[in-house]
Amino acid sequence: MSAPLLELSDLLGPKGLQATDDPQVAPWLQDWRGRYRGRPLAVASPEDHDQVQATLAWSRRHGIPVVPQGGNTGLVGGATPDTSGGQLLLSLRRLCRHLTIDADNQTVCVDAGCTLQQLQEAANAAGWLFPLSLGSESQCTVGGVLATNAGGVQVLHYGTARDLCLGLAAVLADGSSFSQLGGLRKDNTGYDLRHLLIGSEGTLGVITRATLKLFPRPARVITAWLQLESLEAAVHLFRLARQALSDVLTACEVMGPEALNVVLEQMPERLSALPDTRGWHLLIDISLPSWAGEGDGAIEWLHAQLEAGRLRRALVAQDLRQAQALWAIRAAIPPAQSRDGLNVKHDIALPVSALPRFHTACAHALESLVPGARPVVFGHLGDGNLHYNVRAPRGESPADFRARHEGTVNRCVHDLVTAHGGSISAEHGIGSLKADALAHYKAPAALAAMRSIKRALDPLGLLNPGKVLVPD
Amino acid sequence: MSAPLLELSDLLGPKGLQATDDPQVAPWLQDWRGRYRGRPLAVASPEDHDQVQATLAWSRRHGIPVVPQGGNTGLVGGATPDTSGGQLLLSLRRLCRHLTIDADNQTVCVDAGCTLQQLQEAANAAGWLFPLSLGSESQCTVGGVLATNAGGVQVLHYGTARDLCLGLAAVLADGSSFSQLGGLRKDNTGYDLRHLLIGSEGTLGVITRATLKLFPRPARVITAWLQLESLEAAVHLFRLARQALSDVLTACEVMGPEALNVVLEQMPERLSALPDTRGWHLLIDISLPSWAGEGDGAIEWLHAQLEAGRLRRALVAQDLRQAQALWAIRAAIPPAQSRDGLNVKHDIALPVSALPRFHTACAHALESLVPGARPVVFGHLGDGNLHYNVRAPRGESPADFRARHEGTVNRCVHDLVTAHGGSISAEHGIGSLKADALAHYKAPAALAAMRSIKRALDPLGLLNPGKVLVPD
C-alpha cells in the first residue's frame, strides 16, 4: 500500500478502506447499467461526517481526486471513477446511523447513506409521509437523491429532492464543512449553498446529512386511469384537473400509444385491467386528507369530464388491489423496454404547454431521420417530463439501430427540446453521459458561471472531475 | 456630465439616466424607513434586459459600482447606495412591459420591474392565484422579491419567492447574461444559478425577468381566530392542524400577549371582534378547492379541538367582512408598534418545535439584561418565523430604550437564536443592516464559500458592494 493510502487507512480505520479487488466493492466500480466501468485507486467508506472531512482534507494534501458514490443507481455515470487508477472512490453507504424525526417541525434529519426506502419507512412508522418515490428507492441513498436532485412520480405535488430539503451538512473540496440542519422554512442569510450543492452531482461538495420535509399521510388515495384522444387532450385535461382538484392531485403520469404497445408485446398480462390500449393515457392519484371523507366531489368532477367528452374512458380503482394493478402498467414500461432490446433514451422536460407541439415536431423529424423509428413516450405530465425513448423501426435489430443512430437521434431530440425551451436532462442529471451535450446546449454565460463556481470552490479540481463539466 | 456618464446616457436614452438632484429620484436615495441615506453618482433606469446588460458592461469598463433597486421597500438597507457619490443606482422600475400567462403550463413570465400587486391582479384576472403576499405588495417589484427571497403570510403552503420561481433571465457582473424562462418543473442540467441569484440581494447578478408558478384559486376560504393558553399549545395545535387539514391550511399566524397589548393601547377599535385578548392566538386560513363544498369536515375538526380542550376559544368568520376584520387585527400590529414608538426589531426563524423553549429562554435573558423589557412576539408560526420585537419597559422612553439597548438586545436575541439552531434573518435579508451580524453568526466555512462565489462571479466587486458580505 502506498504511503498516502496507509495514511488514509489510519484515518478511516479497518472498515474504512478497501482495495479495488475486494469482492464487496466490485459492483461499485461500474454503473448498474454497465455503460461505465472504472478502476479507482481504492475505495474509502467513512463512517461519519468527520471521516468524510478527513478524507477530503487527505485528498487535498495529496492531490488525489475523489468520486463520491451513494447507492450507485444513477443513470448517467456520475458516480463511476475513471480508468486511470488514480481516483479514490468515496462510498457514503456507511453514513447511516442517524435518523431523527422532529414531529412539531414536521422534518426528518437523516444521514446521507440511508436509503430512500429506509427514510420512507421511518417516516411512515412515525405517522408521516416522505413523498419522494423512485424505482430505485430500495438502494438509492439520501445523499445521492440530493446530489442528483432526483424526481419521480410525486413531484407534481411534493416537488423534487431539492424542494424537500430544508438543510444540509456537507464537506467542501477544501475540507471545510458546514452544518445547517435546523430544518428552517425561512432563512435569508446569504447565498443558498444548499441549493448549489443539490444537483451538483458531487462536484462541489459531499453531502453528509440532510433535514427534509415530512407531510401528512393522505387518509385515502383514489387512483384513476384516463384514456384520451391525444396528447393535446391530455394536457388540456391536466389543466382542468389542477384547477378543479388543486392540491389533492398528487400524480399525473402520461403514456403514449407506443409505450403501451411495448408492454402489450413484452408483458401483456399487465394490461388485463385495460379494455382498450389505444390513444393516450393518464394515470392520476387523488390523495385525500382525513376531513374530506370519500372525496365524492373529486369523483363527481371525473364523471363530469367523461360526460363532457373530454375523456374516452375513465377507470377508477375500487380498492388498493385495483390501484396497484393500474400503477403496475405504468411500472411495466421500463422493464418491457429492457426485454424489447436497446433503444435511444432521453430524459427531457418541456413547458407542459409545449409538449404536444414538441412531440409532433420531434416525431416528424425522427421519421425523416430514421423512417419507421418509434418514439416510446411516457413520463410525468404534470412536470412536463417525458422519457422520450426512441425504438428501432419494426423488424430492425434494436442493437444495430442504437449503434447506428444513437448520436443523430440524441442530437435531433435535444435540438428540438432546446428549440422548445426545454431541458435535455429533466431528472437524471448530467454525469459523464451528458457532459458533452451540456457543453453544447447550455447557455454560454450559464456554463461560464458554472465553471467559475467550480474553480472557486474546488480550485484543484479534485471533486468528481470530468462529471457535469468537461475540461475547458 | 463626466465622460462615463455621457456614454451611459447614450446607451440608455433620454429617460434612462437621471441626475441625483432630479426630484423624481429623491425618494430612491434613502430606504423608506429612513435608516440609510445614499448619494449615488447618478440614477440609471434601463428599459429592458439589453439595457441592463449594457449598463453592467459599462460598469465593468469604468470600474463603477452598481446598486440595483426595485420598489425600494426593503427593511435592511440593501438597495441604498453609499455616500461616496461614486456608485450608480440602478433602478429596475422601467422593466415592466412584459407579463404573459401560460395557462397550460400554469406559469406567468413577468418583467422584474412589475409590482407584486400588478402580478397578483394579472393572475387573478386570468383565473389563477399568485400567492406571494406582502405588506408592501403595491410597491415592491418582482425582481426585488426574488433578489431578497421575500416571504409573507402564505409561505406555509405556497413557499417563499424562491419556491415560486421556475426560471430567470439575469445579467451577471461581467455583463454576460442568460435566460431560462421556459417554466420547467424539472431541469437537472448543472448548478442551479437561479437559486444562487435568488436571495443574493443584487450582489451576484441583476434579475430582469422571471417565470413563476401559478396556482388554482381556492373556491372558498375559511378564516378562524383561535385563542390558546400558551405558545406551546399553539405549536401543538399547528401540528395537529397540518396532519388533519393538510394542504388546505394555507396560513397560520401567531400573536403573543404583548402583540395584542400594543394594538389594544394604540388601535383598540381593531379589537372589537375579540371578546378576550389574553394568552396566545392563532389566525388560520383554510383554503378549499371547489370539489370540497363547504368544507364541513374542516369545521368539524375545529370543533373537535375545542371540545378536547386544546383551544380556549375559536371564532370562525361567517363572511368575508368578518374574515377581513380578523386579518385586520394581525395587520394592525406593525402600525400599532409604529405609533407606540421605537423598539428593537428582529426577524428570526427557528425550528417550529424550538419556538416555545427559545421564547422562554429569550424572555428570561432579556429580563436580566433590561428589567421590564417587553418582547412583542408575532409572525408566521407555520414557518417558524417570528418578528421578535423588544419594547421598552413600561413608562420608559422608547427612543431612549432603543438608543441605549439596541446592540445588546440584538446580540442577546441573535445569540439565543443561533444556540437554538435558528436564523438571524428569516425573510428580510441581510443588506447593510445585518452584514456585520452575518459575518459574526454564519458558519465560517459557509461564509468562506460565499466569499469565494462572490469573487468568482464579481471579481471586481462592482455589484452592490458591502451588502450581505462585509469586506474581508
Side-chain angles (χ1 to χ4, degrees):
Chain A
M1 211 184 259
S2 66
L5 284 182
L6 282 170
E7 185 189 328
L8 187 59
S9 174
D10 278 351
L11 290 170
L12 302 182
K15 289 185 186 162
L17 191 67
Q18 287 163 287
T20 54
D21 57 1
D22 188 317
Q24 194 202 351
V25 307
W28 308 350
L29 308 188
Q30 60 178 28
D31 77 308
W32 67 273
R33 293 204 296 186
R35 293 195 86 167
Y36 297 89
R37 188 177 296 268
R39 194 173 65 87
L41 177 67
V43 180
S45 299
E47 66 174 2
D48 58 19
H49 177 95
D50 290 349
Q51 287 198 349
V52 174
Q53 188 162 16
T55 304
L56 294 202
W58 169 91
S59 148
R60 195 184 196 202
R61 278 200 301 281
H62 297 285
I64 295 174
V66 167
V67 178
Q69 186 180 92
N72 197 23
T73 60
L75 294 161
V76 292
T80 310
D82 69 13
T83 55
S84 68
Q87 298 183 329
L88 182 76
L89 182 61
L90 175 64
S91 169
L92 281 308
R93 282 183 176 79
R94 284 178 73 211
L95 268 76
C96 59
R97 294 187 299 191
H98 181 90
L99 192 155
T100 318
I101 288 172
D102 180 343
D104 278 337
N105 200 42
Q106 302 168 20
T107 51
V108 56
C109 182
V110 58
D111 274 346
C114 291
T115 66
L116 179 52
Q117 189 173 318
Q118 287 172 328
L119 170 54
Q120 291 164 345
E121 288 171 359
N124 198 47
W128 296 94
L129 171 71
F130 183 73
L132 198 74
S133 176
L134 310 175
S136 61
E137 60 201 22
S138 67
Q139 295 172 69
C140 68
T141 61
V142 169
V145 302
L146 288 168
T148 61
N149 185 26
V153 295
Q154 300 206 89
V155 170
L156 169 62
H157 179 59
Y158 297 101
T160 64
R162 177 185 301 289
D163 302 309
L164 299 171
C165 180
L166 293 174
L168 292 177
V171 184
L172 302 176
D174 63 0
S176 70
S177 78
F178 66 89
S179 173
Q180 173 51 65
L181 294 166
L184 304 178
R185 255 78 181 175
K186 288 181 175 169
D187 180 18
N188 281 348
T189 56
Y191 310 157
D192 200 317
L193 301 177
R194 162 189 54 148
H195 280 307
L196 191 59
L197 290 179
I198 293 172
S200 69
E201 305 186 30
T203 64
L204 297 178
V206 177
I207 295 165
T208 60
R209 190 175 280 185
T211 302
L212 304 161
K213 295 179 192 170
L214 295 174
F215 292 82
R217 285 190 303 188
R220 184 188 316 269
V221 179
I222 298 170
T223 296
W225 186 281
L226 313 178
Q227 189 185 3
L228 299 115
E229 293 292 333
S230 63
L231 180 53
E232 211 155 5
V235 165
H236 186 60
L237 192 79
F238 168 64
R239 186 221 288 200
L240 298 176
R242 268 283 285 176
Q243 288 190 304
L245 301 175
S246 193
D247 293 298
V248 296
L249 182 69
T250 54
C252 185
E253 299 288 294
V254 66
M255 287 139 290
E258 201 60 29
L260 288 198
N261 278 345
V262 179
V263 179
L264 199 60
E265 291 169 26
Q266 302 295 340
M267 302 166 79
E269 70 285 0
R270 289 281 181 103
L271 290 169
S272 56
L274 287 194
D276 185 354
T277 61
R278 290 170 301 170
W280 289 76
H281 307 263
L282 292 178
L283 177 58
I284 66 171
D285 269 353
I286 297 170
S287 299
L288 299 168
S290 54
W291 63 266
E294 306 280 331
D296 294 340
I299 298 287
E300 281 161 24
W301 178 84
L302 265 182
H303 285 159
Q305 304 316 303
L306 202 56
E307 278 166 25
R310 297 195 189 99
L311 301 174
R312 275 193 195 164
R313 194 187 300 268
L315 292 176
V316 178
Q318 297 303 308
D319 54 31
L320 186 63
R321 198 187 49 77
Q322 288 185 13
Q324 286 170 339
L326 295 177
W327 274 100
I329 301 172
R330 166 66 182 84
I333 300 173
Q337 286 180 105
S338 295
R339 293 187 194 179
D340 183 54
L342 295 174
N343 59 30
V344 181
K345 294 189 190 300
H346 308 89
D347 164 42
I348 59 177
L350 292 137
V352 176
S353 52
L355 289 171
R357 62 179 186 273
F358 163 79
H359 175 53
T360 301
C362 198
H364 186 76
L366 288 168
E367 180 61 29
S368 305
L369 201 64
V370 188
R374 294 168 290 175
V376 176
V377 183
F378 65 103
H380 318 292
L381 185 83
D383 315 324
N385 176 195
L386 299 181
H387 300 299
Y388 202 93
N389 297 341
V390 185
R391 190 180 180 204
R394 194 172 299 281
E396 283 191 30
S397 145
D400 281 0
F401 167 72
R402 190 164 92 171
R404 285 176 56 206
H405 299 296
E406 182 167 30
T408 49
V409 167
N410 278 166
R411 177 61 71 102
C412 171
V413 173
H414 289 163
D415 281 356
L416 280 164
V417 164
T418 305
H420 286 79
S423 166
I424 64 163
S425 184
E427 57 178 10
H428 296 165
I430 300 298
S432 296
L433 183 68
K434 293 186 182 169
D436 286 324
L438 186 76
H440 180 77
Y441 288 104
K442 193 83 177 178
L447 206 57
M450 284 172 57
R451 289 190 192 287
S452 297
I453 293 164
K454 171 71 175 172
R455 275 192 301 268
L457 295 184
D458 181 17
L460 305 178
L462 295 174
L463 268 179
N464 217 2
K467 309 295 165 48
V468 184
L469 290 168
V470 291
D472 274 310
Chain B
M1 213 186 260
S2 67
L5 284 183
L6 281 171
E7 184 190 328
L8 186 60
S9 175
D10 278 351
L11 289 169
L12 302 183
K15 289 186 187 163
L17 192 67
Q18 287 165 287
T20 54
D21 58 1
D22 187 318
Q24 194 201 352
V25 306
W28 308 351
L29 308 188
Q30 59 177 32
D31 76 310
W32 68 272
R33 292 204 296 185
R35 292 195 85 165
Y36 296 90
R37 187 177 297 266
R39 194 172 66 88
L41 177 66
V43 179
S45 298
E47 66 174 2
D48 59 19
H49 176 95
D50 289 350
Q51 287 198 349
V52 173
Q53 189 162 18
T55 304
L56 294 202
W58 169 91
S59 146
R60 195 187 197 199
R61 278 200 301 283
H62 297 285
I64 294 174
V66 167
V67 178
Q69 186 180 93
N72 197 22
T73 60
L75 294 162
V76 293
T80 309
D82 68 14
T83 54
S84 67
Q87 299 184 329
L88 182 76
L89 182 61
L90 175 64
S91 169
L92 282 307
R93 283 183 175 78
R94 284 179 72 211
L95 268 75
C96 58
R97 294 187 299 192
H98 181 91
L99 192 156
T100 318
I101 287 172
D102 180 344
D104 278 338
N105 200 42
Q106 303 169 19
T107 51
V108 56
C109 183
V110 58
D111 274 346
C114 291
T115 66
L116 179 52
Q117 189 172 315
Q118 287 171 329
L119 170 54
Q120 290 165 345
E121 288 172 358
N124 197 47
W128 296 94
L129 170 72
F130 184 73
L132 198 72
S133 176
L134 310 175
S136 61
E137 61 200 22
S138 67
Q139 296 173 70
C140 68
T141 62
V142 169
V145 301
L146 289 168
T148 60
N149 185 28
V153 295
Q154 300 206 89
V155 170
L156 168 63
H157 179 60
Y158 298 101
T160 63
R162 176 186 301 289
D163 301 310
L164 300 172
C165 179
L166 293 173
L168 292 177
V171 183
L172 302 177
D174 63 0
S176 69
S177 78
F178 67 90
S179 172
Q180 172 53 65
L181 293 166
L184 304 178
R185 254 80 180 174
K186 287 181 177 171
D187 181 18
N188 281 348
T189 56
Y191 310 157
D192 200 318
L193 301 178
R194 163 190 52 148
H195 280 307
L196 191 58
L197 291 179
I198 294 173
S200 69
E201 305 185 30
T203 64
L204 297 178
V206 177
I207 295 166
T208 60
R209 191 174 280 186
T211 303
L212 303 162
K213 295 180 192 169
L214 295 174
F215 293 82
R217 285 190 303 189
R220 184 188 315 271
V221 179
I222 299 171
T223 297
W225 186 281
L226 314 179
Q227 189 186 1
L228 299 114
E229 293 291 332
S230 62
L231 179 54
E232 209 156 5
V235 165
H236 186 60
L237 192 79
F238 167 65
R239 187 222 288 200
L240 297 176
R242 269 281 287 176
Q243 288 190 304
L245 301 175
S246 194
D247 293 297
V248 297
L249 183 69
T250 53
C252 185
E253 300 286 295
V254 67
M255 286 140 290
E258 201 59 29
L260 289 197
N261 277 347
V262 179
V263 179
L264 199 60
E265 291 169 26
Q266 302 294 339
M267 302 168 78
E269 69 286 0
R270 290 280 181 102
L271 290 170
S272 57
L274 287 195
D276 185 353
T277 60
R278 288 169 302 168
W280 288 77
H281 307 262
L282 292 178
L283 176 59
I284 66 171
D285 268 355
I286 297 170
S287 298
L288 298 169
S290 55
W291 63 265
E294 306 280 331
D296 294 340
I299 299 287
E300 280 161 25
W301 178 84
L302 265 183
H303 285 160
Q305 305 316 304
L306 202 55
E307 277 166 27
R310 297 195 189 98
L311 301 174
R312 273 193 195 164
R313 192 187 303 264
L315 291 176
V316 179
Q318 297 303 307
D319 54 31
L320 186 62
R321 197 187 50 75
Q322 287 185 13
Q324 287 170 339
L326 294 178
W327 274 99
I329 300 171
R330 166 66 181 83
I333 300 172
Q337 285 180 104
S338 295
R339 293 188 192 178
D340 183 54
L342 297 175
N343 58 31
V344 182
K345 293 188 190 302
H346 308 90
D347 164 42
I348 58 176
L350 292 137
V352 176
S353 52
L355 290 172
R357 63 178 184 273
F358 163 79
H359 175 53
T360 301
C362 198
H364 186 77
L366 287 167
E367 179 62 29
S368 303
L369 201 63
V370 189
R374 292 168 290 173
V376 176
V377 183
F378 66 104
H380 318 292
L381 185 82
D383 315 324
N385 176 194
L386 298 180
H387 300 299
Y388 202 94
N389 298 341
V390 184
R391 192 180 180 204
R394 192 172 301 280
E396 283 191 27
S397 144
D400 280 0
F401 167 72
R402 191 164 92 171
R404 286 175 57 207
H405 298 296
E406 182 167 29
T408 48
V409 167
N410 278 167
R411 176 61 72 102
C412 170
V413 172
H414 289 162
D415 280 356
L416 280 165
V417 164
T418 305
H420 285 81
S423 166
I424 63 162
S425 182
E427 57 178 9
H428 297 166
I430 299 299
S432 297
L433 183 68
K434 291 185 183 170
D436 286 324
L438 186 76
H440 180 77
Y441 288 105
K442 193 84 175 176
L447 205 58
M450 284 173 55
R451 289 189 191 286
S452 296
I453 292 165
K454 171 71 174 172
R455 275 192 301 268
L457 295 183
D458 182 17
L460 305 179
L462 296 174
L463 269 177
N464 217 3
K467 309 293 165 48
V468 183
L469 289 169
V470 291
D472 275 312

